[in-house]
């Protein structure tokens, strides 16, 4: 089974998600949200959750799926592992935030 690697952009997004959720709905809800995301990452590794290809206008190869109100973007790494590139809330402007986390050249 491939190993999940949380990329730098996704790590920052996880911190932001935790802080926002904690400040808005409390620590228990924040823990539940982050735990649910990591359970989703495990399902990605075991092919237990369907994903769709990232749309062509994003300009990168990879896949995404929805977890509650967030989109999880991932790609296959050269060593066979799976990189979680970013996690974006449904209300965010996806392409701009996505490009920030994928970096130049995708």
């Amino acid at each position: 089974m491939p190993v999940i690697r949380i990329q730098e952009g996704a790590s920052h997004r996880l911190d932001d998600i935790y802080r926002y959720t904690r400040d808005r709905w409390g620590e228990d809800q924040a823990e539940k949200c982050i735990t649910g995301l990591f359970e989703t990452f495990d399902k990605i590794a075991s092919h237990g959750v369907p994903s769709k290809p990232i749309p062509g206008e994003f300009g990168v190869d990879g896949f995404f799926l929805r977890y509650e109100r967030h989109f999880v973007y991932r790609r296959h790494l050269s060593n066979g592992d799976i990189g979680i590139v970013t996690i974006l809330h449904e209300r965010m402007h996806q392409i701009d935030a996505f490009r920030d986390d994928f970096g130049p050249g995708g």
Side-chain angles (χ1 to χ4, degrees):
M1 183 162 65
V3 173
I4 295 291
R5 304 276 181 208
I6 308 298
Q7 311 273 265
E8 185 176 354
S11 179
H12 292 298
R13 300 288 181 187
L14 285 166
D15 291 344
D16 292 345
I17 291 166
Y18 180 86
R19 280 192 299 274
Y20 178 84
T21 306
R22 180 198 62 207
D23 293 349
R24 183 116 183 185
W25 293 287
E27 193 151 338
D28 287 344
Q29 187 62 33
E31 290 289 333
K32 181 180 174 187
C33 180
I34 297 300
T35 298
L37 282 164
F38 275 90
E39 289 170 352
T40 298
F41 301 161
D42 289 342
K43 290 177 185 175
I44 291 169
S46 66
H47 305 289
V49 62
S51 298
K52 297 179 181 179
I54 294 173
E57 62 264 24
F58 284 65
V60 297
D61 289 327
F63 301 89
F64 76 100
L65 62 95
R66 186 180 183 113
Y67 170 75
E68 294 186 359
R69 295 183 176 257
H70 292 89
F71 292 97
V72 176
Y73 291 92
R74 66 178 179 88
R75 65 177 162 195
H76 294 284
L77 304 176
S78 60
N79 66 358
D81 291 343
I82 297 170
I84 303 297
V85 179
T86 194
I87 304 134
L88 304 177
H89 191 273
E90 66 187 3
R91 291 187 183 168
M92 294 177 83
H93 189 273
Q94 300 292 303
I95 292 177
D96 290 344
F98 177 87
R99 286 186 181 140
D100 288 345
D101 292 342
F102 254 89

